Amino acid sequence: MESIRVESVIKTFGSTRALDGISLCIEPGELFFLLGGSGCGKTTLLRCIAGLETPTSGAIFFGEREVTKMPPHKREAAMVFQSYALWPHLSVGQNISFGLEERRVPKPEIKRRVEEALEMVKLPGYGDRSIDQMSGGQQQRVSLARALVVKPKCLLLDEPLSNLDAQLRVEMRREIRRIVKENGLTGIYVTHDQEEALTMADRMAVLTRGNIGQIGTPEQIYRAPLTGYVANFIGETNLISGTVIRREDGFATVTTPAGELTGRITATDWSPQTGEAVQVSIRPEAWRLLPQAGDNSVTGHIDERSYLGQRIQYWVATAAGRQQVVELNPHLIHEPSAETISLHVRREDVVILKS
Amino acid sequence: MKRGTAITISIIVSVLFAVFFIYPAGMVVKQAFEVTRPDGSSHFTFEFFSAVFGNPIYREGLWNAFTLGIVSTFATLAIAFPLALIGHRYEFPGKSILGVLVLAPMILPPFVGAVGVKQMLGVNGSFNAFLIDCGLMQAALPFDWLANGRFTGIVLMNALHLYPILYMNIAAALANLDPAMEQAAENLGCPPWKRFFRITLPLAMPGVFAGASIVFIWAFTELGVPLVFDFARVAPVQIFDGLKGLDKNPIPYALTAILLVVAAGVFAISKFVMGRSPLGTAPRPKARSAALVLSPLKSAACSGFFLAIFLVASIPHLGVILLSLAGRWYGTVIPDVFTLRHYTEALGNGLVVPSIQNSLMYAGCATLLALAIGLAVAWVVVRSDLKFRNTLDAIVMLPLAVPGLVMAFGYLALSQEGKAFHFLVGAGGSPFLLIVVAYAFRRLPYIVRSAVAGLQQSNPVLEEAANSLGATPLRTLRRVAIPLIGANLAAGSILAFAFAMLEVSDSLILAQQAQHYPITKAIYTLLGTLGNGTELAAALGVWAMVFLSVAIMGAAVLGGKRGGLFKV
């Protein structure tokens, strides 16, 4: 178990800057997620940590050991690749034993540990199979076993579930988290799937264009996003522009084209001044449809509706633009109409963001 | 670190190439432009070129070589293109076997084949005897099928020997076409023959030009076949004949320089002007086009065409085999008396056994050397991010553009007493190192191409995975990269080995003493020996044939995609 520290790492490819001075610290035993859209630099950062890319500048530490220039084979950071990267010329067992052989582990111990590893990923007795006899989900587990069997200091996972179907993906999320926690590994997990990150992560970093947008626990990031980008990337949100008219311990009231809204100030390094232009973020499920106006509410009419089974999604036209509203297990289904309706939100569920 | 290794490899390979390839070739060119005075000073001159072009014999020799090259290339194309197209488009009985059989010419050194062809189609050969027996020809007036100053015979031999190279190139080009391209044309209402000219042919053009340029260079500088046909009025033979008085006569240098310029020009045109792929960086096709099943009559015609080509291409082989078994054979369809005497006698001949050992040693060491260099080059080309890598890839392909004769000539000149390569000449004048280096650099393109193809197809993530599991770069290469491309490497190596065994120019020119002769020179020497020398040569040729067919079949099985090995 080891901490991983990344200090102002910059990585450029030609004229494009994939990582623009990233710093973060991952605690020992933590399952840390790197999250972001494609091209945000998350995989590049992971590959820098694995040693498959060398940062243009900056430093990376495993514990107290600097590994920035260390070749990958000396880092003891086992990686699980998106494409699994299983060697087709070796059997399942040979794939798993590879890393142990490279570490000159005695033969009988290799045999035992390979069996244990297969056991752990729920593939006992599959050692003699060839790789192309395995299904996608099985291959995924073999690649996990191959990385885990060497008892690495940390486990690096590059979108390991992106090639699996939805059901298997949900199942494997729990499996991977269990295995990482049982083995006490420090894990770094790259994904673009926010649901995966929210359900599995201890903490996560949202990356945007080579920079860190926000670091925090899933709850912190969902409940208190620091920017509109983060709010939109993790879950969906309605953003309304407005101007601060009042402030009171941790809350601010903002005037918007649709009326006044009060919300929390979540940022630690910024506090809006009266008269400052800000953005207000309201999650679709935070809006409540009410027949008449009340406290902290705006008015509009239902424009569009989609029925999604467990929930229902409305688009409500207001003076501040269309608002997305989600109701879970509603007792009443509204039809789109020109009739005026009111949207109410608790002030704890409104986040005031720097614009 | 990876980048450092790549830079080191690039530098080493470039230096090796400069020393063992560009320097000898350049030396030949320089000698052609330099006159040395008795006092030892030298200056630039065009006088050798004016001597060459002023002399009708040399003019004729160059013209003959050029027309031989052109006519042979078109003859080769006429055989290879229909074969490749039919094989690509249609399904017919025996397709897989016939597809291998038409590669038969590759197993016989062309100049040995020429001996067989003479036996079969000469004035007193089998074919005329057959026609006379049938009453179709008067015995007193035999027809010379190889007439016209033996020009026809050489073209026939070149075409029969070289069409497999073009066939494999075109077949590979066609196989790499995305079937969706043709299907799209079909879908838009384009009939089959129009589709061929508007879509298939333009897209296959790089393959055609790549193959045709190799064939041209080969035929243009062919030494063995004209020698066997006693056709002295062709530049390569004139160079060979001029070797003895090399210190006094600079004409061979000038001739060689002209061959080099023409060959390199053709190569450059084919590669950079005509052969530019219109596909650019289009992704590899995912699907393969399904061959069409024809009506029984038409598919029988396809099989018949392949079989006919195979039979015609086997004439030289048949001639050689019959000759090796002939007790007495003159003016009859098949030998009057059959015997195995030549085989037993060949084993006792002082030239034969050492020549086999020599050839195995030369070709084996050359292949290992080429494999080591080729693998390193391929790794840099495919896996590094050096800007230089494309240049490196082009450099190592150059040996295809430079005639073997030019290289052999440069090596010979440089290995003289007091010259730069004299250190390569071993004790007792052994040309071992000289020949190994010459063979290795000439065969490098085959190995590089197959290794590059292999590495491109294998995902670098597989190597990164090994790295992240604690394997050093060298161990990764040994345990993951090489096993994954093993088949490609084996195929390239076998081909390089087979061609080295068959090599003519370097062998004939560089091996000067009988105990150092490789197989090809032993055969050539036996051909000139009185008595049963020709039959002994044929027996040795049959052994070479058997050996090479095994080697090439192995390469085909391992390589899978046969054509890829010959792509320029």
Side-chain angles (χ1 to χ4, degrees):
Chain A
M1 222 189 262
E2 221 169 19
S3 68
I4 295 169
R5 211 162 78 243
V6 175
E7 280 180 6
S8 30
V9 163
I10 292 174
K11 174 72 188 176
T12 53
F13 293 107
S15 61
T16 47
R17 188 168 266 218
L19 298 177
D20 191 13
I22 296 247
S23 296
L24 49 84
C25 186
I26 297 157
E27 302 299 331
E30 191 175 32
L31 183 53
F32 191 91
F33 269 62
L34 295 173
L35 199 64
S38 58
C40 70
K42 57 189 191 300
T43 295
T44 306
L45 179 57
L46 191 77
R47 288 172 64 86
C48 283
I49 295 170
L52 299 171
E53 303 283 354
T54 312
T56 310
S57 72
I60 296 169
F61 294 88
F62 286 4
E64 287 312 303
R65 201 160 49 115
E66 190 185 340
V67 298
T68 318
K69 292 264 155 62
M70 187 185 277
H73 63 275
K74 292 191 182 145
R75 292 197 186 196
E76 302 187 53
M79 183 145 165
V80 176
F81 292 82
Q82 186 176 9
S83 60
Y84 313 145
L86 296 172
W87 302 300
H89 64 300
L90 302 178
S91 70
V92 168
Q94 286 168 327
N95 262 279
I96 297 175
S97 62
F98 183 96
L100 296 174
E101 283 158 22
E102 289 303 321
R103 284 166 176 74
R104 302 185 196 287
V105 174
K107 279 250 163 62
E109 196 191 331
I110 291 184
K111 194 164 173 292
R112 185 177 56 75
R113 280 171 68 175
V114 169
E115 274 164 20
E116 279 173 14
L118 282 168
E119 201 84 39
M120 182 163 56
V121 296
K122 309 229 166 94
L123 288 173
Y126 279 73
D128 294 328
R129 297 277 184 105
S130 82
I131 293 303
D132 45 11
Q133 283 175 292
M134 310 293 275
S135 71
Q138 289 172 328
Q139 290 190 8
Q140 204 285 328
R141 281 185 272 173
V142 175
S143 78
L144 196 59
R146 184 179 70 179
L148 288 169
V149 76
V150 299
K151 302 210 168 96
K153 294 247 168 70
C154 64
L155 183 65
L156 308 175
L157 302 120
D158 185 8
E159 308 206 21
L161 303 182
S162 63
N163 291 332
L164 301 182
D165 62 56
Q167 209 180 346
L168 201 52
R169 205 148 56 207
V170 172
E171 206 175 294
M172 286 308 294
R173 281 179 196 162
R174 281 210 307 276
E175 281 295 297
I176 291 179
R177 189 169 162 89
R178 172 183 69 84
I179 288 167
V180 169
K181 290 296 164 189
E182 269 175 17
N183 289 279
L185 295 168
T186 306
I188 304 182
Y189 192 121
V190 162
T191 186
H192 62 264
D193 182 338
Q194 41 132 336
E195 212 177 291
E196 214 163 277
L198 289 172
T199 51
M200 293 173 74
D202 290 326
R203 279 196 309 149
M204 56 183 170
V206 181
L207 268 63
T208 140
R209 273 170 292 151
N211 287 294
I212 290 180
Q214 188 172 357
I215 299 182
T217 63
E219 196 191 326
Q220 281 168 348
I221 293 204
Y222 193 82
R223 298 266 309 148
L226 289 180
T227 64
Y229 176 83
V230 172
N232 242 328
F233 193 83
I234 306 294
E236 282 173 285
T237 198
N238 297 295
L239 290 176
I240 302 170
S241 302
T243 313
V244 177
I245 49 172
R246 252 193 329 273
R247 282 176 48 201
E248 48 197 313
D249 50 310
F251 287 89
T253 303
V254 176
T255 172
T256 75
E260 285 182 17
L261 288 169
T262 305
R264 284 188 300 145
I265 300 162
T266 54
T268 46
D269 58 342
W270 168 80
S271 171
Q273 303 303 307
T274 308
E276 189 174 343
V278 292
Q279 278 192 312
V280 175
S281 161
I282 301 158
R283 298 284 184 194
E285 69 276 11
W287 282 123
R288 206 127 310 207
L289 283 169
L290 294 173
Q292 65 274 329
D295 185 29
N296 223 22
S297 67
V298 299
T299 56
H301 68 271
I302 296 177
D303 208 22
E304 205 183 318
R305 185 198 81 179
S306 359
Y307 181 72
L308 298 162
Q310 41 149 233
R311 64 201 155 97
I312 187 158
Q313 186 179 34
Y314 296 102
W315 289 96
V316 177
T318 72
R322 272 156 60 104
Q323 300 298 308
Q324 200 193 141
V325 179
V326 165
E327 282 194 327
L328 200 63
N329 194 18
H331 68 283
L332 175 71
I333 295 174
H334 302 271
E335 293 298 327
S337 75
E339 207 179 307
T340 301
I341 202 164
S342 176
L343 287 176
H344 165 77
V345 63
R346 292 195 307 235
R347 50 192 230 155
E348 294 77 19
D349 292 339
V350 179
V351 175
I352 309 291
L353 298 172
K354 195 174 177 178
S355 71
Chain B
M1 193 202 73
K2 190 177 166 184
R3 200 183 165 83
T5 319
I7 292 173
T8 317
I9 291 171
S10 306
I11 292 173
I12 293 174
V13 172
S14 306
V15 168
L16 285 176
F17 248 82
V19 172
F20 292 111
F21 188 77
I22 294 168
Y23 177 50
M27 216 281 311
V28 171
V29 176
K30 180 169 159 275
Q31 291 281 337
F33 287 104
E34 199 174 67
V35 65
T36 309
R37 297 241 180 73
D39 61 9
S41 69
S42 56
H43 68 93
F44 182 82
T45 179
F46 273 116
E47 67 183 75
F48 305 135
F49 287 92
S50 41
V52 165
F53 288 111
N55 186 329
I57 292 178
Y58 291 131
R59 271 212 309 269
E60 193 193 336
L62 282 170
W63 177 248
N64 281 338
F66 189 72
T67 44
L68 268 177
I70 295 284
V71 176
S72 300
T73 306
F74 279 102
T76 308
L77 198 60
I79 302 174
F81 207 96
L83 276 183
L85 194 66
I86 292 173
H88 173 64
R89 282 214 167 156
Y90 307 118
E91 196 53 63
F92 49 85
K95 183 176 174 180
S96 52
I97 296 172
L98 287 167
V100 175
L101 283 183
V102 294
L103 300 180
M106 297 186 63
I107 63 173
L108 188 63
F111 77 101
V112 182
V115 177
V117 164
K118 266 167 62 174
Q119 219 28 259
M120 302 297 285
L121 300 180
V123 180
N124 298 312
S126 292
F127 192 56
N128 279 352
F130 174 73
L131 293 176
I132 293 166
D133 286 355
C134 296
L136 292 169
M137 184 184 279
Q138 288 174 289
L141 285 173
F143 184 76
D144 186 359
W145 297 93
L146 308 171
N148 191 11
R150 294 168 177 99
F151 191 89
T152 323
I154 297 172
V155 169
L156 180 73
M157 203 51 234
N158 280 341
L160 287 184
H161 179 65
L162 297 174
Y163 80 80
I165 293 182
L166 201 50
Y167 164 68
M168 288 196 285
N169 253 301
I170 300 172
L174 292 174
N176 285 335
L177 287 187
D178 191 338
M181 304 243 177
E182 287 196 34
Q183 284 157 7
E186 204 175 356
N187 178 256
L188 292 170
C190 193
W193 61 272
K194 216 170 164 187
R195 213 160 73 217
F196 170 74
F197 283 105
R198 293 194 59 187
I199 308 292
T200 317
L201 189 63
L203 291 176
M205 235 29 203
V208 175
F209 273 103
S213 65
I214 297 180
V215 168
F216 173 80
I217 292 168
W218 200 315
F220 176 55
T221 61
E222 174 64 45
L223 172 62
V225 176
L227 270 181
V228 171
F229 278 107
D230 293 325
F231 189 54
R233 299 226 165 155
V234 60
V237 176
Q238 289 170 338
I239 294 170
F240 185 67
D241 288 342
L243 283 180
K244 309 224 161 52
L246 199 57
D247 32 351
K248 289 170 218 80
N249 178 11
I251 294 290
Y253 284 116
L255 280 174
T256 313
I258 294 168
L259 291 192
L260 175 62
V261 168
V262 174
V266 167
F267 186 75
I269 289 170
S270 87
K271 196 164 169 65
F272 298 111
V273 185
M274 313 287 206
R276 199 171 295 156
S277 170
L279 288 171
T281 53
R284 287 176 161 278
K286 295 213 165 50
R288 292 224 146 198
S289 54
L292 215 65
V293 181
L294 293 169
S295 68
L297 198 68
K298 283 183 182 165
S299 67
C302 290
S303 305
F305 181 64
F306 266 71
L307 195 64
I309 296 288
F310 167 67
L311 290 179
V312 173
S314 317
I315 291 176
H317 303 63
L318 195 63
V320 172
I321 293 171
L322 287 176
L323 192 59
S324 74
L325 292 169
R328 194 157 50 85
W329 191 15
Y330 186 81
T332 51
V333 180
I334 55 167
D336 303 331
V337 185
F338 283 100
T339 172
L340 284 173
R341 186 163 50 90
H342 306 308
Y343 285 91
T344 47
E345 206 172 308
L347 289 178
N349 187 292
L351 275 178
V352 172
V353 175
S355 79
I356 294 174
Q357 287 171 343
N358 287 339
S359 268
L360 286 173
M361 281 297 287
Y362 297 153
C365 294
T367 305
L368 287 181
L369 181 61
L371 193 59
I373 301 175
L375 189 60
V377 169
W379 184 80
V380 171
V381 168
V382 181
R383 290 284 189 261
S384 81
D385 56 355
L386 295 189
K387 282 209 178 65
F388 181 68
R389 68 186 197 276
N390 292 326
T391 318
L392 188 70
D393 193 22
I395 290 175
V396 294
M397 285 295 114
L398 281 179
L400 287 179
V402 175
L405 193 58
V406 175
M407 293 313 298
F409 205 66
Y411 272 75
L412 180 69
L414 283 171
S415 63
Q416 305 299 324
E417 189 78 50
K419 290 286 173 63
F421 287 3
H422 189 63
F423 74 95
L424 288 174
V425 180
S430 160
F432 175 77
L433 284 174
L434 215 52
I435 289 185
V436 165
V437 172
Y439 280 6
F441 278 90
R442 291 278 314 289
R443 270 56 193 181
L444 197 53
Y446 302 113
I447 300 217
V448 172
R449 280 279 69 82
S450 51
V452 164
L455 282 176
Q456 276 170 344
Q457 284 156 12
S458 101
N459 194 337
V461 170
L462 294 175
E463 289 157 47
E464 288 173 353
N467 245 245
S468 85
L469 286 174
T472 62
L474 217 60
R475 296 270 301 163
T476 305
L477 192 68
R478 195 172 78 67
R479 293 198 61 190
V480 176
I482 292 181
L484 283 174
I485 61 167
N488 296 70
L489 287 182
S493 306
I494 290 173
L495 220 57
F497 182 73
F499 283 149
M501 292 286 286
L502 280 187
E503 215 286 336
V504 176
S505 308
D506 294 324
S507 312
L508 254 49
I509 291 176
L510 294 178
Q512 314 237 4
Q513 290 141 312
Q515 74 266 30
H516 301 132
Y517 281 3
I519 290 178
T520 39
K521 182 139 190 182
I523 293 176
Y524 178 69
T525 312
L526 284 172
L527 284 177
T529 317
L530 292 175
N532 65 348
T534 314
E535 284 82 0
L536 288 182
L540 189 50
V542 171
W543 278 122
M545 235 191 280
V546 171
F547 166 76
L548 276 172
S549 41
V550 172
I552 288 173
M553 270 192 281
V557 169
L558 287 168
K561 336 144 270 307
R562 274 162 288 152
L565 299 170
F566 284 95
K567 285 181 82 182
V568 185

